[in-house]
Amino acid sequence: MAIPHWLLLSAFLLLPLLAQVLAQEPGCSVSNSKPSVPENACPYVVTTIHVEPGFTLTIDPNFPDGQFFTIEGSELWLTKCVDYEEDPALLVYLICKDPAGQSDSLEILVTILNENDNSPVFAQPNLARDVPEDTKVDTTIVTREELSATDADLDTIYYELTTIVQDTDGYFAIRGVNNPEIYLQKALDYDKFNSTTLLLYARDRPVTSPDHTNTATATITIVIKQSDTRAPWFLPCNHVHNDTSVCISSPYSGRVNISEMSTDPLLLEPGPLYAVDPDYTINDKIMYSIVGGNKDEVFSVGADTGNLTMNKIVTSPDSFLLQVMATQISNIRKYSVATVEIKVINKSDYPPYFEKGVYNGTVFVGLPQRSFVYQAGDPSTPLVITAMDNDFPDKVNPNIEYYLKNSTDFTATRDGLVLTNRVLESPGTVTIQAVGKDVLSLQEASTIIVVEVILATAVTLSDKMYSAQDMAILGGTLAALLLVALVFLGVLVWKSSRCYGKPVKYMVKKKLSKEISGGHQNKYYQEDEQPDVSTKQCEMSETSSVQAETPVPEQPALSLPSSSAEEMESLPKGSIASTVIFDQEEKEEEKEEEAGQEKEVKSILKTDRHMADDGYKAVWFKTDVDPEAGERVEVIENNAADDDGGDESDQDLQKNEEEEEEGSDTGGHHWGLGVSFASESSSPAAAEVTVNTSHTGAGTDDSEI
């Protein structure tokens, strides 16, 4: 088989090349032909080299990357720092020569590793924006394209927005952590702040990342432009809740004299009619007009000035309540309305005046607030300033009010009393200007008050001085005590009224009994004064008066003689018995009305009333026995041996007393004395003494006497 000619020719040409390769391979070699090197790391060993004896190895200068390398011994070194962002890879060739001069090349590809060595960069690190005050919420203030940052390391950027101006947090925000677009988050208020500075941070790592983070900062200056957002304000006005965006004005007031024409602008309180545009950077012009309350067109207002003037006189005392509108010229929808009260008063011909040019007072150190200032030299009389007015007959103008101008340590009341306004801590002299103002005519008078503040000694008249608060407390206490006393007195009167009848009856009976009994009373018995009538006794008296008793026909009353022995003996025996019974009943009543604690004490007088016997049996002491009494007089020794008999006798005596009292209560409206004479044959109920007491104070009925 014949070999083609072209195949033989190719073999002969390749043999020298193959022989050269086989000869170079063992002469030069590298440990790593594709090494990796961190960026910005230099010098750095790229790889190691192996060269056989007789061989030489050099860097091929025909390739530009060779300038970064050098061969030192058996190592290939990177001698120049390489930035990944500029050269991500380097290619170097090494030339290897054998002893025969034949050369060969080795290719080494060096990869540069990327490191986080670059910070984010803002295209515009400083920005400024003007934002109108009335910008709507959620409006974009700075776009994303203007604020996006770049990073040469191609890292993801994280954004954060803060402010360096106090009290401006929360008004501006970014759309997201990776979106730096700034928008309005809360409505603006020019009165709160008119500018702020924002800081936008761009980081190549999250805020919470522990890795090294590179940061860039952009500054955004926000300037707020005031807008025409508020209606005019009438001055003076007060801000509501310390909010400077809202201001409330008080009503105006003025005076005109009845039947008098004034050509000058009216004087108003608290000041002239005046309005301003609260958007003061715009400061739009204000126009005034009266829109209500101007009856008969009496008043007019200056469109530019706001001054009120009169068009005609006022003949009626009725007041005017005007409504004045203030409007911005450029925007009629921005307006406010104020109320002006015009009072119609009688003309004041004389202004008020003080009779004294200087008032002198004194006060002590350490007194509580609102203590009196006393007249100098008279520490018991409070200092009072008084303004006179000749428009009044007595020169006393009730419309004058007082106030102090140049002192906060003292104050004046409406009546002109001067009081302390705080606790005075040190002595000295205070000079005060006092003003008395007529609130209707607005006329004023002034005077001077000189107050000496002195130290209080250990014992001074100041110890007897009291403040208004002390007097009020004392008055309240006395009023309470007076009320309690009146209530207690009323209760006593009510209780005593229930027992009104018995003391009167007791006094009348006592007097009559003395006239009847004469000299036959016990000399050794000391009669007490009229006992007090308790509530319990009153109730017992009322109960006993209800009990029914058979009425006894009244006998013609006889006048009893004086208490002589002869006259007593000349009376019938029945009369003597009746007299004794009356005296016994009186003594028994006195004993019952004495101290209630002696309930077990029994009377030494005893009597038995027997319905079967004729007449009464009278009980006497042994020394007073009438020899002519006969069987009807029973003498009892001075002992108390028979207790049982005594109880029965006491019960009978008490029954007789109750019958007698009921008989006396039913005696009508007159009082008198009737004596019935009982004979031995008459019934026991016939011998009785009747005492009638009138509760109405009427005279004695002659037909009954």
Side-chain angles (χ1 to χ4, degrees), residues 86-161:
E86 295 181 1
D87 297 307
L90 297 176
L91 183 61
V92 61
Y93 287 92
L94 302 179
I95 299 175
C96 181
K97 291 184 178 181
D98 57 7
Q102 298 293 327
S103 64
D104 192 10
S105 65
L106 298 176
E107 181 183 272
I108 300 175
L109 180 62
V110 180
T111 302
I112 305 302
L113 300 177
N114 188 21
E115 298 290 335
N116 187 18
D117 58 344
N118 293 285
S119 298
V121 177
F122 284 103
Q124 300 182 62
N126 294 285
L127 290 173
R129 288 290 185 274
D130 292 339
V131 181
E133 180 187 9
D134 57 351
T135 300
K136 294 183 179 179
V137 174
D138 202 41
T139 300
T140 299
I141 305 301
V142 185
T143 63
R144 177 176 184 175
E145 290 74 17
E146 295 176 287
L147 290 175
S148 295
T150 59
D151 188 354
D153 298 327
L154 302 179
D155 295 326
T156 302
I157 306 301
Y158 300 88
Y159 298 94
E160 180 184 7
L161 184 67

Side-chain angles (χ1 to χ4, degrees), residues 244-493:
T244 57
S245 62
V246 179
C247 199
I248 305 300
S249 61
S250 300
Y252 294 87
S253 62
R255 283 85 177 162
V256 296
N257 295 327
I258 192 170
S259 301
E260 181 176 308
M261 182 69 178
S262 175
T263 57
D264 297 329
L266 301 183
L267 297 178
L268 303 178
E269 286 190 346
L273 196 63
Y274 181 63
V276 297
D277 183 3
D279 303 316
Y280 53 87
T281 60
I282 300 174
N283 196 22
D284 198 2
K285 190 176 180 180
I286 305 299
M287 180 176 61
Y288 303 91
S289 61
I290 299 177
V291 295
N294 192 13
K295 184 179 179 181
D296 297 332
E297 301 296 326
V298 175
F299 301 96
S300 61
V301 63
D304 297 329
T305 63
N307 292 331
L308 279 177
T309 55
M310 296 184 67
N311 297 326
K312 60 182 71 173
I313 63 173
V314 181
T315 59
S316 172
D318 297 335
S319 298
F320 291 83
L321 195 62
L322 305 178
Q323 291 179 316
V324 179
M325 182 174 67
T327 307
Q328 293 182 203
I329 292 181
S330 62
N331 188 354
I332 195 173
R333 294 182 179 180
K334 297 293 192 310
Y335 70 91
S336 295
V337 176
T339 301
V340 183
E341 182 183 12
I342 304 297
K343 295 181 179 179
V344 181
I345 63 174
N346 294 322
K347 182 179 179 180
S348 176
D349 296 324
Y350 302 97
Y353 66 93
F354 285 97
E355 291 184 333
K356 292 183 179 180
V358 178
Y359 289 83
N360 294 288
T362 181
V363 69
F364 290 97
V365 172
L367 292 180
Q369 184 181 5
R370 299 193 67 80
S371 296
F372 288 115
V373 175
Y374 290 87
Q375 296 182 7
D378 187 3
S380 62
T381 304
L383 178 63
V384 181
I385 58 175
T386 304
M388 303 298 179
D389 193 338
N390 291 331
D391 288 321
F392 295 83
D394 55 357
K395 297 185 179 182
V396 177
N397 186 349
N399 302 316
I400 292 181
E401 294 182 354
Y402 302 92
Y403 64 93
L404 306 182
K405 270 191 173 181
N406 59 339
S407 177
T408 58
D409 296 338
F410 299 90
T411 185
T413 66
R414 179 183 177 89
D415 299 326
L417 288 170
V418 182
L419 309 176
T420 60
N421 202 32
R422 66 178 184 88
V423 178
L424 303 175
E425 299 178 352
S426 59
T429 302
V430 181
T431 302
I432 309 168
Q433 182 180 6
V435 177
K437 182 176 181 179
D438 187 338
V439 296
L440 289 182
S441 65
L442 304 182
Q443 295 174 319
E444 295 182 351
S446 62
T447 187
I448 300 298
I449 303 175
V450 179
V451 180
E452 293 288 340
V453 184
I454 61 177
L455 293 173
T457 58
V459 179
T460 62
L461 291 177
S462 63
D463 296 335
K464 298 182 180 180
M465 295 189 295
Y466 302 95
S467 64
Q469 292 86 344
D470 297 334
M471 291 301 176
I473 295 174
L474 178 60
T477 304
L478 293 177
L481 293 176
L482 179 61
L483 179 61
V484 173
L486 291 175
V487 172
F488 182 71
L489 182 60
V491 173
L492 291 181
V493 171

Side-chain angles (χ1 to χ4, degrees), residues 46 137 201 217 254 288 376 440 480 531 546 563 673 695:
V46 177
V137 174
Y201 296 97
T217 304
Y288 303 91
L440 289 182
V546 178
S563 58
L673 176 62
H695 294 285

Side-chain angles (χ1 to χ4, degrees), residues 165 206 229 254 326 364 418 429 463 497 528 536 541 603 630 664:
V165 179
T229 59
F364 290 97
V418 182
T429 302
D463 296 335
S497 65
D528 295 336
K536 182 176 181 181
S541 176
S603 174
S664 64

